[in-house]
Each structure stands twice: as C-alpha cells, then as structure tokens.
Amino acid sequence: MDQKKISKKTMIGIGVCTAVLLGGVGYGTYSQLQARPTIEQQDPLNPIAPKENNRLSPRQTEQETDTSDSSIVRDERTTSSFADIRSGTGESFVQERANALTNLGRQIEEEQRRNTNPIQLINPTPPSGDTGNQAQSPERPQEPQLPELPEPEGPVAPPIPGPIDPIDPPVVVVDYSLLATLVQQAQEINLSLYLSASTEPFKFELQVAQRMLTEQISTQAAVNTQVARLSQSIDQLELRGDKTSLQHLYTQSQSIQTDIYTEESVRVLQSAQEEAKLILDHAEANQSMVDRVENQLKVAIDGLTEKEEPYLSLAYLKRLVAEAESLNMDEYTVETGQVLTELVEEITTYIESEEYTQEENERYIKALQQAIDQLEKKIDIPVSVNRDAQTMAEIISEIPTDESDQSEVNDQHSQLEESLIQEEELTQGITNE
C-alpha cells in the first residue's frame, strides 16, 4: 500500500511539472508572436505599395511607426527572457528586424531602377504648409502602372484555296498470265470422273476467272485472290470410286452355291452383297465407300462355313438330283433313261424321309453319278440314208425275170450292194460318235 501511494504521488508530481513546463513554453511562443510586426496584405500587382483603403498622411504614418516601434521594444523587453532562451541575447531580435527593413528598402530601390516607367507617388507634391514635416515623413512608393495590353484581333477568315488541277492516277499494269494458264488447265479436266458435289464449286470459280480474263478491269490483288481460289477448288475435286474390282468380286459371290454353308454365314454374305449392289448403283460413291464395301464382301465370302455331316453330303446329293432332273430323257435310250429315272425317285423318297446318314448320302451320290454317266443317246438316221433305201426298193421292183436281161440285172445288183455298203458305213459312224 505504501509503495502504491508513493508511486501515485510521484506520478502526480511529474504531471504537474510537465504541465508547468508546457505552459511556460506556450506562453513564451505566444509573446514572441505578438512582439513581431504585422505585415499588411499587399497588392499582388504592386507588392510595394500599401492598399488604398489604409492610406495615411505622412504625419500619421510617422506617429504610427513611432508607436509600433515603442510597442515592439516594449514587447521585446517583456519577452527578452524567452528570446534569450532561443537566441542567446534579447538584442539579436531587434538587430534582425533592422536588417530586414534595410534589405526591404534596398529591394524597393532596385525595383525602381529596373522599371522603365518610374513609380509615381500618390501625392508627389506635398502641401506648402507641410514642408517641414516632409523631411521627417518617409517616402511612399508610387503604385506602378500596368502596361496596356493590345486588344485582341477579330477572327481571321482562312484563305480560300483556288482550283487544283486534276492529277492523273498512275497506270498500274495487272498481270493476268498466271490466271490464264490456270484457266487453261482447268478447262482440260474431265469432270465426269469426279463427284458432282466437288465439281460445283470448281465450275463457279472457273466462271469467275474467265470473266476476269474477258473484262480485264480487276486489280492485281483481286487477280491473285482468284488464282488462289481456283487452285483450291481444283485441289478439292474428288474422284469417283473405281468399281471394277468390286464388280468382279460381286459377280463371283453371286455364283457361289450357298446350299453347303450354314445359314448364319449365308446371311452375312447376303447382307454384304446387298450393300455392294447399292454402291455399284450409286453414281456419287467415292473411293473410300467402294473400298469399304469391297473389303466387307471379301470378309463375308471368306467367312462362309460349311455344314456338318450328314448335312454337307446331303447338300451335294440334292445338287446332283437337281442336275439329273434337268436332263431331257427323250434324247437318251429307253433302257438307260429308265435306270436313271428309277434311281432319282428312290433318292427323292430317301430325302423326304429325313432319316439320312453320311454313308447313305455318299452311296446315293456315287450311284446317281454313274447312272448319269451311263446314259446313251438315241441314233438319228439321216435323210440321205432313207432316200437310198427308197432307191433300192425301186431298183428291186424293176428287176426283170428274163435271162436275156441278165447283164442288166447284174449291174443293178452291183448298185444295190454299193448302196447297202454306204448305208452301213454311215450308220456305224453315227454310232461311234
């Protein structure tokens, strides 16, 4: 408790001392500011002359100066202690004031000497009765006269330009040689080999280029642009697809007998054949479309899968039965034709029973092939042989019975033998064939 009381007293003492010190410093500063002379607000145009509203006569000015000097001295004396603290002595402030007034007077005189128009005082001639006081009153500088500014001139109309002779534009030579060469190359292109979708832009650009060459009124920049556009349209021409290989493959696929293959692989082949047919009939098919469909058809053909037994041999048996049924039995002998007909009927009954095996299928295939191979065609007698037989009958009917005509009979007999020999040779030749 004692230490807290002591510390409170110490703090209070320090606060009181600080307040006294700050009050003394503030009072000294205030006294010094009151002791300095007040500088009147001067006219910015004439910093030397005082304002007209505060004009005083020379005598009043002198009295006011004496009064202010005395008050300043008195103030300086009263505040000499504070001035001594700041500058060391109280007389230094008075000396500084005197030096400042002296320097101000010198500046005024130098300004008067520089000015070509001497400064005229407001009251240059004092009254006659105040001659004695004139020597005692300080000189008052005259307000300087402002130089007269020239009056602004009115707006000056700009000069009207005279007529200017027209200048002929420079002659620019346009080079059409590259465009002409490109047009000639474009005209030689066979558009039937290209797709219609790519030929339409080409035709348009070619027409524009031909019109440029005909009119000859375009700029070089326009000609160069058209050369670039025509070249681009030529590069974008797309050839029609080459369908030669696809057509050959499609024809081969049509000749494939699908009866020996599984139904699933046959369906894949048929689907590929349909797409190939569409591309073959499509005039605007490009090469990529043709290649795609051709490759798809090749895969379908290679993917054909044969049936398992006994269905595979049964398919070959059905194919051979169809071949036998397509034969014309009237062209063969009755015996060989009868054998083939009976065998075909037996095989048909076997197939309809749906109870077949690979062994039976192969046996019937072998027997049926032999029956087909053993067929014999009928012999056709030529018309000339019939005519010779008729001639022999006529000759025999005309043979005489008299012995006197024996020689004649012998001759006719010889002719008959020759005819028979010829007929026999002819018949034998037909049989061998």
Side-chain angles (χ1 to χ4, degrees):
M1 292 298 291
D2 295 337
Q3 291 179 358
K4 291 183 178 181
K5 289 180 180 180
I6 292 170
S7 60
K8 288 183 178 180
K9 290 178 181 182
T10 303
M11 294 298 293
I12 293 172
I14 292 172
V16 171
C17 292
T18 303
V20 171
L21 180 60
L22 293 176
V25 174
Y27 180 76
T29 304
Y30 177 77
S31 299
Q32 185 178 3
L33 293 175
Q34 291 295 328
R36 292 185 181 181
T38 304
I39 299 174
E40 296 180 354
Q41 185 176 2
Q42 298 178 353
D43 190 357
L45 298 177
N46 188 7
I48 301 174
K51 294 183 178 180
E52 294 181 358
N53 295 335
N54 296 329
R55 292 178 183 175
L56 299 176
S57 62
R59 185 174 299 175
Q60 292 175 350
T61 304
E62 183 178 1
Q63 292 176 359
E64 184 178 359
T65 303
D66 294 341
T67 305
S68 61
D69 291 343
S70 61
S71 62
I72 292 171
V73 172
R74 184 168 55 252
D75 292 336
E76 288 175 353
R77 289 175 182 175
T78 57
T79 61
S80 59
S81 61
F82 183 74
D84 290 342
I85 296 172
R86 297 188 57 192
S87 61
T89 60
E91 296 178 356
S92 61
F93 181 75
V94 177
Q95 185 66 29
E96 289 176 0
R97 177 179 176 278
N99 293 336
L101 293 175
T102 304
N103 292 333
L104 181 60
R106 290 176 182 175
Q107 291 178 3
I108 292 173
E109 291 177 358
E110 289 177 1
E111 187 69 25
Q112 289 178 353
R113 284 195 300 269
R114 291 194 198 98
N115 195 356
T116 55
N117 297 326
I119 300 174
Q120 298 181 0
L121 299 177
I122 297 175
N123 297 322
T125 306
S128 59
D130 296 337
T131 304
N133 297 330
Q134 182 178 2
Q136 299 177 0
S137 62
E139 295 182 357
R140 295 178 59 84
Q142 185 180 5
E143 295 181 0
Q145 295 181 357
L146 297 175
E148 295 181 359
L149 299 176
E151 295 181 358
E153 298 180 359
V156 180
I160 301 175
I164 301 175
D165 296 336
I167 300 175
D168 296 334
V171 179
V172 179
V173 180
V174 180
D175 186 10
Y176 290 90
S177 59
L178 183 59
L179 182 61
T181 303
L182 191 61
V183 168
Q184 184 178 0
Q185 295 176 357
Q187 291 175 345
E188 297 175 356
I189 296 176
N190 185 8
L191 297 181
S192 62
L193 301 177
Y194 299 90
L195 300 178
S196 301
S198 63
T199 57
E200 293 302 324
F202 168 77
K203 292 179 181 179
F204 174 76
E205 298 299 340
L206 180 60
Q207 291 177 357
V208 174
Q210 290 174 342
R211 185 176 61 187
M212 279 188 173
L213 294 176
T214 302
E215 296 177 354
Q216 299 280 331
I217 59 174
S218 303
T219 62
Q220 188 64 52
V223 173
N224 296 338
T225 302
Q226 187 57 33
V227 169
R229 292 176 63 89
L230 183 57
S231 300
Q232 184 179 6
S233 64
I234 293 175
D235 296 337
Q236 292 178 351
L237 287 174
E238 187 174 3
L239 286 169
R240 298 178 186 270
D242 185 6
K243 304 176 184 178
T244 305
S245 178
L246 178 60
Q247 181 65 53
H248 180 69
L249 185 63
Y250 177 76
T251 304
Q252 289 182 347
S253 67
Q254 290 292 102
S255 62
I256 295 176
Q257 295 181 355
T258 59
D259 55 341
I260 62 175
Y261 300 105
T262 60
E263 295 181 358
E264 183 178 0
S265 60
V266 171
R267 282 196 299 268
V268 175
L269 176 63
Q270 292 174 350
S271 177
Q273 288 174 340
E274 291 176 359
E275 292 190 12
K277 181 62 176 175
L278 291 176
I279 295 300
L280 291 173
D281 296 339
H282 184 37
E284 296 297 321
N286 54 25
Q287 190 62 43
S288 62
M289 298 170 63
V290 174
D291 294 340
R292 179 182 60 82
V293 173
E294 183 178 357
N295 183 61
Q296 184 176 352
L297 184 57
K298 287 180 180 180
V299 172
I301 294 174
D302 296 338
L304 287 174
T305 305
E306 290 184 348
K307 296 178 179 179
E308 297 180 355
E309 292 295 345
Y311 302 103
L312 179 60
S313 57
L314 179 64
Y316 283 110
L317 180 60
K318 289 181 179 180
R319 185 184 300 178
L320 195 58
V321 169
E323 180 182 352
E325 290 177 349
S326 63
L327 297 176
N328 186 7
M329 294 293 107
D330 296 336
E331 297 178 359
Y332 302 95
T333 61
V334 177
E335 295 79 6
T336 58
Q338 185 68 28
V339 172
L340 179 61
T341 303
E342 292 177 355
L343 183 58
V344 169
E345 292 177 355
E346 181 182 352
I347 294 174
T348 304
T349 305
Y350 166 74
I351 293 174
E352 292 177 353
S353 66
E354 297 183 358
E355 295 179 358
Y356 31 73
T357 61
Q358 181 178 359
E359 292 77 11
E360 288 294 322
N361 294 339
E362 293 177 353
R363 185 178 66 82
Y364 278 122
I365 290 173
K366 185 177 181 180
L368 184 58
Q369 186 65 46
Q370 290 178 355
I372 294 174
D373 295 338
Q374 292 176 1
L375 286 174
E376 295 181 0
K377 288 188 176 182
K378 295 179 179 180
I379 298 175
D380 295 331
I381 300 175
V383 178
S384 60
V385 175
N386 296 332
R387 185 180 302 111
D388 292 339
Q390 184 178 1
T391 303
M392 284 192 314
E394 292 177 354
I395 292 173
I396 292 173
S397 62
E398 293 177 357
I399 294 175
T401 58
D402 298 339
E403 295 179 355
S404 59
D405 297 330
Q406 186 65 35
S407 59
E408 184 177 359
V409 171
N410 293 333
D411 294 336
Q412 292 179 355
H413 181 69
S414 298
Q415 293 179 0
L416 179 60
E417 288 181 352
E418 290 178 0
S419 299
L420 292 175
I421 292 171
Q422 291 179 359
E423 182 179 359
E424 184 179 359
E425 290 176 355
L426 182 59
T427 305
Q428 186 176 1
I430 294 173
T431 305
N432 293 332
E433 291 178 359

